[in-house]
Structure formats: C-alpha cells, structure tokens
Amino acid sequence: MNITFSERAAQEIEKLYPNAGEKNLKLKYDTEDTGCVMCGVTVLWFVKELSESDEKIETNAWPVYVEPSKNVFLDDELKIDYVESAHCFSLKTPGQILNARMSLIDKTIN
C-alpha cells in the first residue's frame, strides 16, 4: 500500500497539530454505530497506542498505521488531501474518492 499526503494536507495537519510527527497517526476504517462492517467510513485518528497487528506505512510526511484486516476496504494507492472549502480532509485513489469529508480526530486527548 502506498499513501501520500498532498502538500496542503500536510501543512494543515502541521498547523492543527504541531507535534503530529510525535503521535501515532492511524487511517481507521471506523464501523462504530454503523450497524454493519460494510458501512464503515475512513477517518484519521491520532492514537495513544497501536494494536500489535497495525501495519506501519511510510509516507511522504509521517508514518500512517492501518489495520491489515481492513485493507479490503482500501486501495493500493491512496492520497490524503485537504479540502479548503469544507475544512476537512479527503481520501482519494486514482479512480475514486473514498471519503470526500474525512475527519482527523485526536484520540490521545481524554
């Protein structure tokens, strides 16, 4: 899997979280409260701890961790971009948009 950040997305993350490089950034396929594993949505989470099974993906900005069991819902080529007009991130592949309004949530804060 290859994940890249657009320059704008990397700048926005650095602006929002100046210590982003010191945190664990996870691309999560979140199914909580959806009722079905097939109805999940991709989100970015800063997490305190990683699961043993989380896979580290090197990117052009920070490492991103993914759950291998959820790779079936992702593509081999992913790009994280920032949508200025919506003030959110997006997750794209060369052929489609997986999430046009992807959230970035800091789960390290209680």
Side-chain angles (χ1 to χ4, degrees):
M1 179 180 297
N2 184 34
I3 300 174
T4 59
F5 286 85
S6 71
E7 185 176 330
R8 182 67 184 111
Q11 289 172 347
E12 191 63 25
I13 291 171
E14 287 178 347
K15 183 173 93 175
L16 294 169
Y17 301 96
N19 61 341
E22 300 168 16
K23 296 184 176 196
N24 298 313
L25 184 59
K26 189 169 184 175
L27 180 61
K28 174 78 173 162
Y29 184 77
D30 189 11
T31 58
E32 189 172 325
D33 296 327
T34 64
C36 174
V37 71
M38 299 302 290
C39 297
V41 62
T42 50
V43 294
L44 287 169
W45 283 0
F46 283 119
V47 295
K48 288 181 184 179
E49 295 183 19
L50 298 165
S51 168
E52 263 187 45
S53 63
D54 286 341
E55 179 182 352
K56 183 179 182 179
I57 308 293
E58 294 294 342
T59 74
N60 62 324
W62 308 271
V64 173
Y65 295 86
V66 296
E67 298 167 272
S69 64
K70 303 298 191 276
N71 284 353
V72 67
F73 301 109
L74 303 172
D75 284 3
D76 289 336
E77 294 290 326
L78 299 171
K79 182 174 185 178
I80 297 170
D81 202 356
Y82 186 74
V83 183
E84 185 74 37
S85 60
H87 303 288
C88 63
F89 296 88
S90 67
L91 182 64
K92 306 173 184 179
T93 73
Q96 65 181 328
I97 297 173
L98 296 176
N99 188 346
R101 293 179 179 256
M102 187 169 64
S103 299
L104 173 58
I105 301 167
D106 192 345
K107 296 274 190 171
T108 66
I109 301 171
N110 292 343

